[in-house]
Amino acid sequence: MTTINAESEALAVSWVGRPIKRKEDLRLIRGRGQYLADIKLPGMVHAFFVRSKHAHARLKSVDVSRALSVPGVVAAYSGADLLKLGMRELLIPELVNELPGTLRLPPSWPLAVDKVVFHGEPIAVILAETKYVLEDAAELVVIDYEPLPVITSVEQAMADDSPRVYESWPDNVIYREKMGGDATDAFAKADIIITERFEVPRTGASPMECRGVLTQWDDHSGLTHWTTTQRPHLLRQAISQVLDWPEQMVRVIAPKDQGGSFGTKAPHSREDFILALVARDIMRPVRWVESREESFRAGVGQERAQIHEIQIAARSDGKILALRDRCITDIGHGQQPVFMGVMYPRAGCFMITSFYDIPQAEIEIVCVVTNKPCLTPSRAFGSFPVRLAMDGAINRLARELDLDPLEVVRKNLVTVFPYVTATGNFLDSGDFVGGFDKLVETIDVASVRELQAKLREQGRFIGLGFGGETERSGVSSKAYVPRQRKPGYGVATVKVLNSGKIHVLVGDPPSGQSHETVISQVLADEFGVTPDDVRLDYGDTLSTPYGMGNVGNRMASYTVSAAVLAARELKKKIGLVAAHDLGIDASPDEFTFENGEIVWVKDREIRTQLRAVAVHLIECPIQLPQGTEPGLEHTAYFEPQNVPNMTGASFHCAVVEVMPETGVIKILRYVVVDDCGTPINPLVVEGQVQGGVVMGIGNTVFEEYVYNERGELQNTTLEGYMMPCAADVPHVETYDHSVPTPNNPLGTKGKGEGAPAPVSGALVNAVEDALRPFGVSITTLPLKPERVRAAIAAVVSPEAEAEPADWVEPIVREFAGEGEGYDVLAEMYRFYDGIQISLQPTWHPYVGQIRGWLRDFGQMLDRAAASPAVVDVLAQMFNGEREFAFQSDLDPGLAAQWDRLRNLPRPDGGHAYLDYILPALDSHEMLLVACSNVPFEGETK
Amino acid sequence: MEKTISVTVNGRVQRKTVPIRMLLVDFLRDELGLTGTHVGCTYEGRCGACTVVLDGNATKSCMVLAVQADGHRVVTVEGLEEFANAPGELHPIQNGFWERHGLQCGYCTPGMMMTIFDILATNVREGSPELTDEAIRQSLVGNICRCTGYSHIVEAVQSAAAQLRGMDPEERAAWFDTAKLEGTRS
Ligand code: FES
Ligand code: FES
């Protein structure tokens, strides 16, 4: 066995708190992970879903018979076929939360029966021997649609005369709730009232691995169902309840490795139920591996969308007295068990005051259905847009009062613990002022302000913005049971093996959060062994204790605590037997566990091996102390005793530069100070924070799921969605200001869920601060250059917003639309034929790659077209009026190619500038080099 | 339509009859069982999770047909440790990722490492000059990671580059010498 660290040989050290290398890595860096798509079973068939091409339509008929004629196709099913197999609706009472507001239930067939309500809804499923024939067969499924009016926005959905997504409903409102109390008094007393409307579009957390299922039925085991999930135990229950199969005949297994989840794998997917039914029907294993496009069209990882009409009432010194908020959310179709799209705005609003001491809050939540996919959970669960509303409004307050925003923030921080917020959120522990001060000190605000003043004189604009949050480290049963009838406890089974090694079983499967390492560090300390001596298994309902899921920061706080409690229970038994075996009169707690030995604290010479005691208890259970049962395993449950939840916190500060001419934002520095209680592995914590922040930067600056008026997702590719790559984001600096919670054994709090949330506020506030001389207000995301420019134009000189050059628009349209013309492809092919491709010099491009480049191109042009300055430069470039210096590391072949193209005569009509622009696609650098001639930095005036 | 092809994968000649429309990534995963190469964007050429080294160049294996690889040499993530001198020894790139926590879920990691193989091979050929973090970030634009936020990946590359810099030139070059790999697998 490979040792984790050289230090693992070291004696009697504490493993908790050390940045050791991860245990899970060795298999992953060798390409030996076991993700869902890596698992195969003999006789397995592949599944493909035929999905709706309309966002709202009645299904007049679905005919799968012709698909069956394709060689290799094994079976094909429509919704009607599945009804015969016992398909039932998903929103059975057990899978609907009990909420304080008024909730309506939509119909919820896993496979569409008579109607579709979103583009991409599954209508038929085809099974075949190889995946390559599936798409051929899918073409042959005949679906007769009767299109219905499509609703795609809150405004449409709430209009008096709006058509309805569900005809039997009186309107499109699925949920309404009033939260908090009455703030009338406080508002009457206020010196100042800030009113603002923030609108955050759909973005979220799509992980790199899409979803997938591998499922089979046999009459002995019942259903064995591998699926990408964060909640295997709850899914097992759900499958049993929805399909009415005995629970003991359903086994759900989360693969050992999952390529990220971030909440997107927490819901019970309709595909799980469909595939279980068809696998039982054909009695062969069925595997479905979701494609990226399917994933995007199904809405996986689409959340964030919320509108906030927020008001804060304050004194003239900046002390906030109360807030009012009306949160309106387009949740999509809403046919999703448990979460139903309404839980995210609820959870976000519940946390809205975060670490601010705001005595009164009056909140209204309205959720409407539309013909879009249902929102799915995404890391930060509802908080991302809420943080923009809250931290953005506080920034406005400071501006109106002409106070330093940081001062206003500090003035309003909660200082006494425990604290219950105006919405009822419980903050158990923390040091918000200390954490905040550490942030301010780290960022060195004074020198940023100095630089800001100096640069402004040169016509450059930098700014600093604050955002932050508290997050719950798991949620206790007290909170979960009334809503979801689900427990909040952490649970772990710990076994000491005969060899003295430790085996831990937990129900909740990780997907990158380092559970194996973290649990091993903790139990190594408990048992005086090394992390290598500890093994963790998880996620199989057959062998692990029932757990409510790997969600919401539960691992480090709840699960780890349960494992510690189980270990301590076993240690009592071990102590008892050790005293007996050593023939000493010692109580069980008089032993320490060190290096595989059990040492009597009163006389360290007296010691025995952990292994020896284990063998005595498990393998040779004779002559045990009176009343001692054999065996050395224990399952423990953890709930914090006196509090409903434990609280983590983080404080973010961004320093940005904004180029007003182009609207481009550059993040100069991003600093986070975090309270995650006792950090178990600081390297892991740092990774969680950095990854979460970068996801938040993506959501704030680049990403948006764009739907057209037909309810079709316009960007169904990773390229089109623009998740940030390494060059798009800064290094995120992380600092620790941890306050261990008194409410669990090690003082640990979770870290991982919330990190993206404060980014929205921090960046928007920084951009506004940078543009303070213009008095710009940003109220919506993403912070794309055109939006920033438009915001400036709106306050400076509305007429100054130049139209893009007239040749750009037709090209953008050509590329942004779905039907790229064949002639364009041909054009590209002609060019690419003779050109070396930077990463693959000897390889001719495949047509998919060209499609990818077309998208790239569309986007680059989109971006370029949005900026008059860039358009101008491009125009000069095309006309040969501007010289371009190439970076020395640019491929000389490309430079020559560029020269040749620049000297080509300018073509007329059609795809006018393709000849010039397309070769630039050969290398992203090429266009970037071109664009970088725009006076972006330093020379903007 | 099918075609019989012969591709040298991680030093071993693989002869198979495959449909001509099969992608190289599927050939590696489904025909050879080399599931370390992943699919993240489903053949769009954006995510880079499927990156392998083809004739010495980092290449997205979803952008290449298996038949196009006929007669060529492919190194996948599973091949990295084949460059080592002793069993159990890891490639400096693997060490870098492990040391610096360059992965969380690990899904993007094989593709990242194969892109970095190309970057560092070039760096070593040029005498291992220092790499700036900025240059590393620029060279990773073809690979998306949703977990790490990239800082630890950049540190992983720096760590691998530093390990290599500490070796003598032949030893360094050997970590990228695909011919050597074939020598070990006649
Ligand atoms: S699967 Fe090949 S680049 Fe994404
Ligand atoms: S480690 Fe998960 S995508 Fe990179």
Side-chain angles (χ1 to χ4, degrees):
Chain A
M1 183 169 190
T2 309
T3 345
I4 296 171
N5 261 7
E7 306 96 287
S8 57
E9 312 300 343
L11 306 179
V13 287
S14 168
W15 290 98
V16 168
R18 293 167 65 191
I20 66 166
K21 298 199 290 191
R22 295 201 316 166
K23 294 183 69 168
E24 34 282 85
D25 287 354
L26 193 53
R27 62 174 183 274
L28 300 176
I29 56 179
R30 298 167 94 187
R32 298 179 187 185
Q34 278 284 303
Y35 300 88
L36 186 115
D38 304 341
I39 311 169
K40 279 185 190 168
L41 293 176
M44 176 178 94
V45 297
H46 302 260
F48 184 88
F49 290 97
V50 180
R51 291 173 184 270
S52 176
K53 291 194 165 38
H54 289 270
H56 196 191
R58 226 174 291 291
L59 292 178
K60 298 209 300 203
S61 66
V62 180
D63 179 5
V64 297
S65 57
R66 283 174 61 213
L68 289 166
S69 64
V70 176
V73 170
V74 174
Y77 304 84
S78 65
D81 297 329
L82 287 200
L83 283 176
K84 289 180 211 138
L85 297 180
M87 176 174 73
R88 302 207 297 157
E89 288 194 69
L90 294 170
L91 289 172
I92 54 172
E94 292 85 344
L95 297 182
V96 177
N97 287 346
E98 275 164 30
L99 298 175
T102 357
L103 178 71
R104 288 201 186 108
L105 293 189
S108 55
W109 296 108
L111 197 60
V113 172
D114 46 4
K115 166 171 171 168
V116 287
V117 293
F118 72 103
H119 186 265
E121 179 166 349
I123 295 178
V125 57
I126 308 175
L127 308 179
E129 302 285 354
T130 71
K131 63 182 185 184
Y132 278 83
V133 307
L134 279 168
E135 294 193 35
D136 302 345
E139 296 290 310
L140 301 177
V141 172
V142 184
I143 301 168
D144 191 3
Y145 300 92
E146 178 194 324
L148 296 168
V150 175
I151 301 158
T152 58
S153 69
V154 164
E155 291 71 24
Q156 271 178 303
M158 293 181 80
D160 288 340
D161 57 346
S162 172
R164 290 181 301 283
V165 176
Y166 302 108
E167 284 89 348
S168 63
W169 292 14
D171 55 33
N172 288 309
V173 175
I174 184 170
Y175 187 67
R176 243 182 233 283
E177 179 183 341
K178 293 223 191 286
M179 191 183 266
D182 181 355
T184 317
D185 273 6
F187 270 82
K189 284 195 212 109
D191 297 330
I192 180 170
I193 294 172
I194 299 290
T195 303
E196 191 55 274
R197 183 181 191 275
F198 293 95
E199 179 163 0
V200 176
R202 281 190 177 216
T203 64
S206 316
M208 289 318 292
E209 181 202 35
C210 298
R211 296 175 300 165
V213 172
L214 168 57
T215 184
Q216 70 170 346
W217 178 275
D218 76 70
D219 288 346
H220 171 71
S221 313
L223 187 78
T224 308
H225 190 87
W226 287 262
T227 181
T228 50
T229 179
Q230 294 166 245
R231 325 225 281 177
H233 288 272
L234 301 198
L235 179 61
R236 173 205 201 183
Q237 230 180 328
I239 290 176
S240 145
Q241 290 162 336
V242 169
L243 300 182
D244 200 17
W245 293 354
E247 191 176 356
Q248 71 276 19
M249 296 304 277
V250 178
R251 174 183 177 192
V252 172
I253 307 172
K256 278 287 153 272
D257 296 302
Q258 296 193 66
S261 53
F262 312 120
T264 65
K265 294 169 183 172
H268 310 317
S269 301
R270 57 179 76 215
E271 289 84 356
D272 280 302
F273 301 87
I274 299 172
L275 295 166
L277 277 172
V278 301
R280 187 172 182 177
D281 186 49
I282 64 158
M283 295 298 286
R284 286 177 69 176
V286 175
R287 188 173 79 177
W288 166 64
V289 177
E290 185 182 49
S291 75
R292 178 59 58 182
E293 180 175 346
E294 260 185 311
S295 180
F296 275 9
R297 287 210 193 280
V300 176
Q302 299 187 20
E303 202 227 74
R304 315 296 192 224
Q306 287 172 21
I307 296 168
H308 287 271
E309 294 165 357
I310 190 169
Q311 285 194 309
I312 49 181
R315 287 197 318 237
S316 56
D317 64 353
K319 175 74 190 90
I320 301 170
L321 305 172
L323 81 81
R324 279 197 180 119
D325 184 31
R326 182 160 190 255
C327 169
I328 313 164
T329 301
D330 158 9
I331 65 150
H333 61 68
Q335 300 176 9
Q336 180 191 63
V338 188
F339 302 106
M340 290 186 66
V342 305
M343 295 305 284
Y344 326 122
R346 270 204 95 242
C349 288
F350 183 67
M351 311 281 288
I352 188 165
T353 61
S354 89
F355 38 53
Y356 301 114
D357 171 29
I358 301 178
Q360 292 187 28
E362 185 181 324
I363 296 167
E364 186 189 4
I365 297 166
V366 182
C367 299
V368 297
V369 288
T370 60
N371 295 112
K372 289 189 206 158
C374 189
L375 299 180
T376 59
S378 284
R379 188 177 195 175
F381 203 86
S383 274
F384 178 87
V386 173
R387 300 288 16 110
L388 173 62
M390 186 76 241
D391 290 330
I394 292 182
N395 204 47
R396 295 288 199 297
L397 172 66
R399 200 161 83 187
E400 290 300 318
L401 293 172
D402 206 19
L403 295 172
D404 179 348
L406 297 175
E407 218 175 89
V408 175
V409 166
R410 195 172 191 282
K411 179 166 281 161
N412 286 289
L413 293 173
V414 167
T415 51
V416 180
F417 297 90
Y419 179 94
V420 180
T421 72
T423 56
N425 185 29
F426 184 91
L427 311 176
D428 82 317
S429 61
D431 172 19
F432 300 154
V433 173
F436 179 79
D437 285 349
K438 183 161 181 176
L439 179 77
V440 170
E441 191 183 309
T442 308
I443 205 99
D444 191 0
V445 174
S447 64
V448 175
R449 291 286 177 221
E450 201 176 301
L451 183 66
Q452 183 179 44
K454 200 171 101 205
L455 289 175
R456 266 186 201 162
E457 281 166 21
Q458 304 167 12
R460 286 179 63 182
F461 301 92
I462 68 166
L464 168 155
F466 171 79
E469 64 164 358
T470 58
E471 47 180 323
R472 290 187 285 186
S473 284
V475 177
S476 66
S477 297
K478 283 192 196 84
Y480 268 132
V481 173
R483 295 269 172 273
Q484 304 192 10
R485 291 174 305 282
K486 291 291 175 287
Y489 52 65
V491 50
T493 300
V494 177
K495 306 180 181 188
V496 180
L497 307 180
N498 274 306
S499 53
K501 308 289 186 202
I502 315 295
H503 195 179
V504 191
L505 297 163
V506 303
D508 303 342
S511 44
Q513 301 89 349
S514 317
H515 290 192
E516 289 169 69
T517 306
V518 163
I519 274 270
S520 299
Q521 285 181 257
V522 167
L523 290 191
D525 278 358
E526 289 296 325
F527 286 109
V529 296
T530 72
D532 272 352
D533 296 327
V534 184
R535 175 186 167 81
L536 174 71
D537 274 297
Y538 44 76
D540 182 344
T541 59
L542 184 72
S543 52
T544 63
Y546 181 92
M548 73 80 67
N550 178 34
V551 296
N553 284 330
R554 287 170 42 78
M555 170 64 183
S557 51
Y558 280 71
T559 312
V560 159
S561 300
V564 169
L565 294 184
R568 292 187 181 167
E569 202 52 40
L570 292 174
K571 284 164 74 176
K572 273 190 226 155
K573 190 170 185 180
I574 294 166
L576 188 82
V577 174
H580 172 266
D581 292 358
L582 290 164
I584 54 173
D585 185 15
S587 86
D589 55 12
E590 287 170 14
F591 293 94
T592 63
F593 288 64
E594 301 169 11
N595 306 315
E597 290 186 315
I598 301 151
V599 182
W600 191 27
V601 289
K602 292 195 172 154
D603 179 354
R604 290 185 51 85
E605 295 300 304
I606 298 182
R607 49 178 69 200
T608 180
Q609 300 278 324
L610 173 60
R611 202 174 48 205
V613 179
V615 164
H616 191 180
L617 272 161
I618 304 164
E619 211 176 359
C620 309
I622 53 170
Q623 292 162 9
L624 286 170
Q626 189 70 32
T628 303
E629 276 188 20
L632 206 41
E633 45 186 85
H634 186 75
T635 299
Y637 293 80
F638 168 79
E639 298 258 12
Q641 280 317 298
N642 305 311
V643 297
N645 56 264
M646 297 166 284
T647 313
S650 57
F651 307 89
H652 293 213
C653 190
V655 180
V656 305
E657 174 165 12
V658 185
M659 326 322 162
E661 279 80 359
T662 59
V664 170
I665 296 164
K666 188 169 171 191
I667 304 172
L668 305 175
R669 231 182 136 189
Y670 200 101
V671 181
V672 181
V673 173
D674 247 298
D675 171 8
C676 66
T678 307
I680 299 171
N681 184 324
L683 198 55
V684 166
V685 174
E686 180 174 76
Q688 289 297 315
V689 175
Q690 289 176 335
V693 168
V694 165
M695 186 180 285
I697 292 175
N699 294 167
T700 306
V701 183
F702 304 103
E703 301 169 21
E704 177 177 7
Y705 292 102
V706 182
Y707 285 83
N708 65 14
E709 72 286 356
R710 293 187 301 279
E712 296 157 350
L713 182 61
Q714 294 297 279
N715 42 357
T716 56
T717 61
L718 278 186
E719 181 66 37
Y721 177 62
M722 288 180 68
M723 283 184 193
C725 68
D728 291 330
V729 293
H731 168 64
V732 176
E733 303 167 46
T734 60
Y735 300 88
D736 177 39
H737 185 76
S738 279
V739 181
T741 168
N743 294 307
N744 70 25
L746 300 182
T748 49
K749 301 171 181 173
K751 186 51 63 184
E753 174 82 37
V759 181
S760 52
L763 283 177
V764 165
N765 291 342
V767 168
E768 288 191 358
D769 185 49
L771 297 176
R772 187 78 194 272
F774 301 87
V776 163
S777 294
I778 306 261
T779 54
T780 185
L781 303 179
L783 292 171
K784 293 198 179 199
E786 63 269 31
R787 184 158 287 150
V788 175
R789 271 194 355 272
I792 299 172
V795 289
V796 178
S797 49
E799 70 289 350
E801 180 69 351
E803 289 293 312
D806 56 2
W807 52 266
V808 173
E809 219 269 328
I811 300 177
V812 171
R813 222 180 318 121
E814 181 70 46
F815 286 99
E818 288 214 319
E820 305 99 335
Y822 177 75
D823 51 343
V824 181
L825 279 175
E827 188 90 358
M828 288 202 64
Y829 232 126
R830 190 161 67 73
F831 269 99
Y832 274 103
D833 223 24
I835 295 176
Q836 301 255 307
I837 297 151
S838 55
L839 280 181
Q840 315 167 21
T842 54
W843 294 89
H844 279 253
Y846 176 59
V847 74
Q849 185 159 13
I850 293 187
R851 286 232 166 92
W853 282 325
L854 280 172
R855 283 186 212 108
D856 282 12
F857 178 51
Q859 276 186 357
M860 280 197 273
L861 257 180
D862 234 345
R863 269 178 258 175
S867 158
V870 175
V871 168
D872 188 46
V873 168
L874 285 173
Q876 291 173 18
M877 188 169 85
F878 301 137
N879 294 330
E881 289 162 12
R882 191 182 259 259
E883 282 307 313
F884 291 92
F886 290 102
Q887 288 164 357
S888 57
D889 57 351
L890 195 73
D891 184 337
L894 287 179
Q897 180 71 13
W898 181 252
D899 267 349
R900 190 177 71 76
L901 286 161
R902 251 188 44 202
N903 294 325
L904 282 176
R906 181 176 168 169
D908 289 317
H911 303 295
Y913 286 86
L914 293 185
D915 284 2
Y916 293 88
I917 301 170
L918 286 180
L921 296 180
D922 202 357
S923 147
H924 280 212
E925 295 98 288
M926 198 74 138
L927 196 70
L928 292 178
V929 166
C931 293
S932 69
N933 284 275
V934 182
F936 273 174
E937 281 167 84
E939 35 179 304
T940 43
K941 279 269 149 95
Chain B
M1 210 165 87
E2 301 202 321
K3 187 171 182 238
T4 302
I5 58 172
S6 140
V7 187
T8 305
V9 180
N10 300 333
R12 197 172 279 165
V13 179
Q14 301 282 0
R15 221 180 130 77
K16 296 263 179 191
T17 302
V18 298
I20 57 162
R21 62 174 166 174
M22 179 176 271
L23 299 172
L24 179 58
V25 64
D26 288 340
F27 177 74
L28 295 169
R29 289 181 51 86
D30 298 341
E31 296 292 315
L32 306 184
L34 295 172
T35 54
T37 301
H38 296 153
V39 174
C41 61
T42 324
Y43 321 139
E44 179 198 322
R46 179 62 191 100
C47 74
C50 66
T51 307
V52 299
V53 169
L54 181 62
D55 292 349
N57 300 294
T59 302
K60 291 172 175 169
S61 63
C62 73
M63 292 284 115
V64 177
L65 295 169
V67 293
Q68 289 176 286
D70 187 14
H72 294 264
R73 278 179 299 175
V74 175
V75 183
T76 69
V77 62
E78 290 90 345
L80 279 180
E81 60 198 279
E82 306 280 345
F83 292 87
N85 297 313
E89 197 185 348
L90 295 173
H91 196 283
I93 297 171
Q94 293 171 311
N95 277 326
F97 269 76
W98 201 10
E99 290 283 347
R100 292 310 312 148
H101 187 27
L103 60 152
Q104 289 179 22
C105 78
Y107 202 75
C108 69
T109 314
M112 284 281 177
M113 292 198 298
M114 300 321 285
T115 301
I116 292 161
F117 183 94
D118 190 345
I119 298 167
L120 289 181
T122 309
N123 180 257
V124 163
R125 269 199 305 278
E126 289 165 356
S128 292
E130 296 273 347
L131 289 160
T132 64
D133 288 355
E134 197 42 44
I136 293 170
R137 283 178 182 267
Q138 286 296 341
S139 54
L140 292 177
V141 294
N143 295 71
I144 296 182
C145 173
R146 197 57 161 165
C147 296
T148 62
Y150 300 106
S151 286
H152 284 161
I153 294 178
V154 173
E155 289 171 26
V157 179
Q158 292 290 23
S159 155
Q163 290 166 53
L164 289 161
R165 230 171 274 127
M167 300 173 191
D168 65 47
E170 285 97 277
E171 197 189 342
R172 234 186 266 165
W175 285 109
F176 301 94
D177 180 5
T178 42
K180 164 189 163 179
L181 198 124
E182 275 152 53
T184 63
R185 303 285 202 91
S186 52

